[in-house]
């Protein structure tokens, strides 16, 4: 199938008439036999879980699944949905908002943990060094602090699940240590949020930091679907903020 | 270039090293010599304007260019922009909202005008027949009435420009007649809006009704760009509606 | 939170500082305790599974997860990914392609099964009536036949899982009956594909047909992520089909 | 309209019943009176052109309008269009691909010109310094060289138009000088492409480098529309690359 110079090539899956293999495994045998978390792990890592990675993935996706209308991705999806577009297009528009400022802290947080790990120091000292660097450069710690929650209960719960499933290794220790040093370095306790916990666990289960946003892209998909469906079945078309609610701050009337 | 069974084929343009032809015309000769409206018309219709179609296109695009934050496409684009994504992706998310309920009346309105035209009647009678059918089937006239404006000044102005440029033909007459019969059929005057005028002019300049949304897709692009740029340069990241402003109407607390 | 006239209202979830409830359930208690399939079902249906709906959902999502580069959504996502855009934006662009001709047969198929069900006839007769109507109107049966597979092994496997989990009810019987009548009505056996099986199971587990595309939007998300990540980590930027591979079929050279 | 703490605020335009002002100008007076290029400039810069900025903008948009199927944005848009989605959604998916590797050189090129300008040196020396730095850091010059054209005729033509319209200032001189030093610094002539010319002209007309992609987002919109419309009116649904044309390079068959 496709010669060495094929325009399309992939290591992910193989499709032939009546046969579909994902990373070498027969997809048909996975259906009904393996939970979605196992298969997500397979797709992202290249292998089926050797231990509890699949259950951990399920927990990560559940943690990411929904956060009401208090997320720009959901607001965007609902505005688009209200304009009379198909479900998948409205979800996609919302998903585009899983940006650097909305879920992006997972990747940045994982990079920070790798930086801490690379110091070769004990967690407390490694965390201190990294936190001080951020402080000195005027940066916040990605994955710490939250606009609504203090602490974010999802972060706490994810770390507890990680401990139960055997993933409370060095990256989790470093992530906890970073929280612990915040009072000393930043003058106040800044609690780990869901993204910070995800960052540590992403590394513990062996995934690439570049897949940080994937946890939201996959996990928040059903939440976005639910909001788009609700918007289209329960609200009137064309969500209108009302011209009276817009403050114009530009130049006054003028002529060419 | 590409044999008869080529996977990719197109009638739009031809690219060869150092040569680009659009619909047969050398793109290089068009740059600086032809206004954008002429070239948009060329791309959409297949030919350069024979008369004032290019100037009419420019007027259509200007009419569509901007309507402040009072449009779901703009709200969506700004939410996405606030989440830390590249300019083009935020614009694209907003553009997805040019849906059936937001700009979609151009295509529906053009179809309605074709229906009126097909009656073979004089405008007044053709308009009456079509309006009555809509009334009887509980449908609104696409391209008539507006949530903010009454009448929508853009519709008025576009028809005036169409008259100046030689495009006040049968479709414009039918569109005007439809407005005129609304008091009799619906019990109140329902003024033509921008979409209704666009629908008539789209047909007058010989474009396919299926290109109705194209006028907004192209014309609103700079407005969306301006809003995304403003959001990213003037507002803080992560536009947050605030959890206190969300009304939860679902089931109360329960346990599995 | 938000008065009766709140601009934002939802029945999906409630966010307050340090508390997140989804459809009334504490999200924190679901993390690590419930598989993703259960929570997807909760988000889409409004309630946690009463029986095996969650396991069935997991199987549906696994079935949808990946089909190599032989799907327009994946091709689109990889082209976009190659252009230097963030992961989530490339996935979203691909997801937009889960359109009427690509996954859309789930919804159309569910509607067809409801039509068959509404006849009140036994499956064989109901299926015959519906198939004949499609034949007479020149329509294909949505969810039957596949461009690569014959039969599509995913459809077969999903129905087997449905039987194991207690969802082989009337809709599954109707779906099977439709396949059975194809030789008589269309002159050749047209096998049920993955979409046809999904359509039947969607109804068996009590979801709205309007959620048909949701199974792909959610289930294919990890496959799209894997392809975007592979494109960006393994291929050169700017996927170029090559100008020699494009066949130009438009007008020859001409001047304005 | 909207108090000082309004959730939505903008300097771009003001909408009140029957009145729309863009940057202070009555939109109605602009329709039919001003070419689209003037209004694009108004939206992006905040003011109507004082000289030939509008004509220059028109030329920039025409230059960007179309490049056949040899652009990832177009390939993506056509794959999405083939899947049965509305025109605007397919265009938006394609537009998302105007990424760092596809049109992104305008912004990067403008930044490079600002760097050259900041040396305070004559163009030849400033260009040499900047080119050497890129060479030493193993970077290519953004806006120079093209995968198909050598030289890119659009770049040449845009600079000629800029000279005609009075925009051949220091940034254009620096851009030309950069091309001139490539033989000496890189060992071969690397010609300025369309993006390099756009970068210089963007600065000459006083726009922000962050608007670099805007020229493609707006200018390529009609090209994308034409391709989506062609795909949906001339090709069969579901563009299929064919499973035989995909090369699978992953692990061989294995079992869990």
């Amino acid at each position: 199938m496709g010669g060495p110079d094929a325009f399309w090539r992939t290591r992910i899956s193989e499709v032939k008439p009546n046969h579909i293999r994902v990373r070498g495994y027969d997809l048909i045998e996975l259906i009904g036999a393996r939970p979605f978390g196992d298969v997500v792990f397979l797709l992202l890592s290249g292998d089926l879980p050797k231990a509890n990675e699949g259950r951990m993935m399920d927990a990560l996706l559940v943690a990411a699944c929904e956060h009401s209308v208090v997320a720009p991705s959901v607001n965007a999806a609902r505005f688009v949905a209200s304009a009379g577009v198909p479900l998948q297009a409205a979800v996609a528009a919302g998903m585009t908002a899983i940006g650097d400022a909305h879920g992006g802290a997972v990747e940045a947080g994982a990079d920070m943990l790798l930086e801490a790990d690379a110091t070769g120091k004990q967690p407390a000292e490694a965390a201190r060094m990294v936190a001080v660097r951020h402080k000195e450069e005027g940066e916040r710690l990605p994955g710490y602090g939250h606009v609504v929650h203090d602490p974010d209960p999802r972060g706490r719960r994810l770390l507890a699940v990680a401990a139960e499933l055997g993933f409370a290794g060095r990256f989790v220790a470093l992530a906890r240590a970073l929280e612990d040093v915040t009072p000393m370095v930043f003058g106040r306790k800044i609690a780990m949020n869901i993204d910070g916990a995800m960052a540590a666990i992403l590394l513990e289960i062996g995934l690439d930091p570049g897949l940080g946003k994937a946890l939201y892209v996959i996990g928040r998909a059903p939440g976005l679907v639910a909001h788009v469906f609700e918007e289209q079945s329960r609200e009137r078309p064309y969500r209108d903020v009302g011209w009276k609610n817009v403050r114009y701050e530009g130049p006054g009337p003028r002529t060419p």
Side-chain angles (χ1 to χ4, degrees), chain A residues 131-147:
Chain A
V132 166
R133 182 185 73 70
H134 279 75
K135 168 72 172 170
E136 288 175 354
E137 297 179 10
E139 291 173 20
R140 294 194 291 186
L141 299 182
Y144 293 79
H146 195 276
V147 65

Side-chain angles (χ1 to χ4, degrees), chain A residues 36-52:
Chain A
F36 191 59
D38 281 18
V39 177
V40 171
F41 184 77
L42 171 65
L43 280 162
L44 300 192
S45 76
D47 289 294
L48 279 170
K50 289 176 180 56
N52 290 323

Side-chain angles (χ1 to χ4, degrees), chain A residues 3 28 57 87 142 147 165 206:
Chain A
I28 306 311
M57 180 58 71
L87 181 139
V147 65
L165 296 178

Side-chain angles (χ1 to χ4, degrees), chain A residues 128-188:
Chain A
R128 195 193 58 77
M129 291 168 64
V130 168
V132 166
R133 182 185 73 70
H134 279 75
K135 168 72 172 170
E136 288 175 354
E137 297 179 10
E139 291 173 20
R140 294 194 291 186
L141 299 182
Y144 293 79
H146 195 276
V147 65
V148 179
H149 309 296
D150 185 21
D152 183 341
R154 297 168 296 180
R156 288 279 183 285
R157 176 67 186 138
L158 278 176
L159 290 195
V161 173
E164 290 165 22
L165 296 178
F167 297 112
R170 176 159 167 86
F171 295 111
V172 166
L174 288 165
R176 287 187 185 280
L178 275 159
E179 182 179 290
D180 292 342
V181 301
T182 53
M184 186 179 66
V185 177
F186 292 92
R188 64 190 173 86

Side-chain angles (χ1 to χ4, degrees), chain A residues 63-81:
Chain A
C65 76
E66 167 65 1
H67 198 252
S68 190
V69 192
V70 194
S73 53
V74 171
N75 300 281
R78 295 192 72 136
F79 269 111
V80 175

